[in-house]
Amino acid sequence: MSLTAQANIKKVVLAYSGGLDTSAIIPWLKETYDNCEIVAFCADVGQGAEELEGLHEKAIASGASECYIVDLKEELVADYIYPTIATGAIYEGTYLLGTSMARPIIAKAQVEVARKVGADAVCHGCTGKGNDQVRFEGCFAALAPDLTVIAPWREWSMVSREDLLDYLAERNIETTASATKIYSRDANAWHISHEGGELEDPWNEPSKEVWTMTVAPEDAPNTPEYVGLTIANGRVTHVDDVALSPYDALMKLNELAAAHGVGRIDITENRLVGMKSRGCYETPGGTVMFAGLRAIEELVLDKTSREWREQIGAQMAHLVYDGRWFTPLCNSLIAASESLAQLVNGEVVVKLYKGKASVVKKRSPNSLYSEEFATFGDDNVYDQKDAAGFIRLYSLSSRIRALNTK
């Protein structure tokens, strides 16, 4: 960025966590951008009260003029997580997109704060190696292309935690961070992710210190627990017959499933920027929700509709992972999914046991399954003689090809 452009930056809204990186970013911004005003912004997406405690005071002590903490928990689950899981989106067959789904709502709220305070720029603390820089900046481009985006990790000369600690010490800015940080974690209402430490070597089994949300499956109760879900239009509305908001339903399922070690995965994924990274994820309640939704779909979606829903899910997984939420394609995929979800109504019972969530009961008023049709016994709705003509027509192209080769 040119010196003239830097001089034009008068007020910046920083996505602030209170950690080492963003604590150093505040004074760096003021020094680099001609003592501009820094407004700290923190999104409460369910990361936990301990991460938000004292955040306002930390931001002001680091040099921010204000600190906005915006409660986004209910909106995150209702308007971002529920629509995404209704599509069946799972990245590379395993990852339930916990970090990815939270980024668009955080970016949107950051832009709203920037508009409110009359900022010239928005700033994030993402590194130049990760996916989040793309996710945030893609959202900024769609929502506020006029705002300047500042990414300190792509600009400053600091490269280590020691550098950041020295930087703060030189400016007499206190921090509770230490030189050693074993794991990099990201938490919200849906999940918690873990990277770094022994996980950087894929030959290492994750130690018990990695996991923070779920009980180890081998240490989980020896007696299974059963939980009932009511699903309406592809959304979980009740847990054990108790009506709950989307956020409260997720919190209840997180509590129940975590106690049984449900929702752990250990994967090596393809980042958008081209490299592979290893991560361990814990998504207990989300794993139960996915199981319930898929079970009702098995009952109500015909073969071609289910195939279409799977295509929607595959497209949506990459879209969310790649940070393209605020796009026409996203709107189109969600609209298609919502159309199918009108049929996804019913009840399931999920068995939680030793790390697994298994649907053991399912029923739906829209079910296409009929015991009368499927039975091997006598029935009045299916004449087995009709199958001969169906098979002959279904295999007609194969028959013609074979005849032509004689």
Side-chain angles (χ1 to χ4, degrees):
M1 187 180 299
S2 68
L3 292 177
T4 301
Q6 288 182 350
N8 289 334
I9 303 299
K10 304 299 182 184
K11 185 179 288 189
V12 181
V13 173
L14 166 66
Y16 179 74
S17 68
L20 179 58
D21 294 20
T22 52
S23 294
I25 286 174
I26 292 177
W28 179 86
L29 285 170
K30 298 182 77 169
E31 294 171 10
T32 306
Y33 292 88
D34 196 24
N35 201 34
C36 64
E37 181 182 350
I38 311 301
V39 176
F41 155 76
C42 177
D44 179 1
V45 287
Q47 61 266 52
E50 64 280 359
E51 289 197 30
L52 300 174
E53 186 177 352
L55 204 63
H56 184 274
E57 293 76 12
K58 288 180 184 178
I60 301 303
S62 297
S65 61
E66 300 176 81
C67 181
Y68 289 84
I69 301 175
V70 184
D71 187 345
L72 302 173
K73 297 190 292 294
E74 284 284 1
E75 185 182 355
L76 168 65
V77 183
D79 297 343
Y80 293 79
I81 291 176
Y82 269 26
T84 299
I85 66 174
T87 70
I90 302 177
Y91 184 69
E92 297 192 334
T94 313
Y95 173 42
L96 299 185
L97 297 164
T99 297
S100 313
M101 288 189 290
R103 293 318 185 224
I105 190 175
I106 295 172
K108 174 174 171 285
Q110 186 175 356
V111 167
E112 289 169 352
V113 170
R115 297 301 193 203
K116 179 178 180 178
V117 303
D120 313 296
V122 287
C123 178
H124 63 74
C126 308
T127 72
K129 288 186 176 181
N131 298 307
D132 280 343
Q133 58 180 337
V134 183
R135 293 166 183 157
F136 277 112
E137 294 183 37
C139 292
F140 295 152
L143 301 175
D146 55 301
L147 294 178
T148 298
V149 178
I150 303 173
W153 275 107
R154 301 201 303 251
E155 297 182 31
W156 63 20
S157 59
M158 292 179 282
V159 296
S160 66
R161 291 180 65 81
E162 290 81 4
D163 288 346
L164 297 177
L165 289 167
D166 291 343
Y167 183 84
L168 291 174
E170 290 169 2
R171 289 152 182 79
N172 295 315
I173 297 174
E174 293 185 3
T175 179
T176 57
S178 65
T180 302
K181 182 182 181 183
I182 300 175
Y183 305 109
S184 174
R185 292 188 166 105
D186 178 81
N188 58 46
W190 184 248
H191 89 152
I192 184 168
S193 66
H194 317 273
E195 294 181 335
E198 76 265 25
L199 299 179
E200 293 183 352
D201 182 352
W203 192 250
N204 288 333
E205 179 182 1
S207 65
K208 286 197 171 185
E209 286 70 31
V210 169
W211 312 101
T212 61
M213 192 175 182
T214 56
V215 169
E218 59 267 26
D219 298 329
N222 294 323
T223 302
E225 184 171 2
Y226 296 85
V227 57
L229 306 181
T230 302
I231 296 169
N233 298 329
R235 267 76 171 161
V236 175
T237 61
H238 296 68
V239 177
D240 288 333
D241 296 324
V242 177
L244 296 171
S245 72
Y247 173 74
D248 288 338
L250 178 57
M251 290 301 98
K252 181 63 176 179
L253 292 175
N254 276 341
E255 176 187 355
L256 294 173
H260 291 272
V262 170
R264 291 184 174 190
I265 63 169
D266 175 3
I267 62 173
T268 302
E269 68 198 68
N270 286 298
R271 285 184 179 175
L272 176 59
V273 294
M275 70 182 69
K276 287 186 179 287
S277 64
R278 184 194 186 186
C280 288
Y281 299 89
E282 298 175 84
T283 318
T287 300
V288 176
M289 284 186 175
F290 255 99
L293 290 174
R294 299 293 82 80
I296 296 299
E297 284 185 355
E298 288 176 6
L299 291 177
V300 305
L301 295 183
D302 59 77
K303 186 177 187 297
T304 54
S305 295
R306 183 170 178 180
E307 181 182 6
W308 172 229
R309 204 279 302 146
E310 289 172 351
Q311 292 180 49
I312 294 169
Q315 285 270 340
M316 190 69 175
H318 286 280
L319 180 145
V320 173
Y321 189 87
D322 295 348
R324 293 180 287 138
W325 184 273
F326 298 108
T327 62
L329 177 59
C330 183
N331 295 336
S332 178
L333 292 173
I334 290 176
S337 172
E338 292 298 315
S339 177
L340 294 175
Q342 301 306 304
L343 299 170
V344 184
N345 304 287
E347 299 171 276
V348 299
V349 175
V350 184
K351 178 182 177 180
L352 309 175
Y353 184 65
K354 297 290 186 183
K356 293 185 177 181
S358 308
V359 174
V360 293
K361 296 182 180 182
K362 55 190 172 186
R363 61 186 177 189
S364 170
N366 301 324
S367 176
L368 298 179
Y369 175 81
S370 168
E371 184 177 352
E372 184 179 11
F373 294 177
T375 180
F376 284 96
D378 188 30
D379 64 75
N380 298 317
V381 295
Y382 188 96
D383 188 339
Q384 296 192 35
K385 295 183 178 65
D386 292 341
F390 166 76
I391 294 169
R392 188 172 184 85
L393 291 176
Y394 185 73
S395 60
L396 181 60
S397 59
S398 297
R399 184 183 304 275
I400 294 172
R401 183 176 294 107
L403 291 170
N404 287 340
T405 58
K406 287 184 177 179

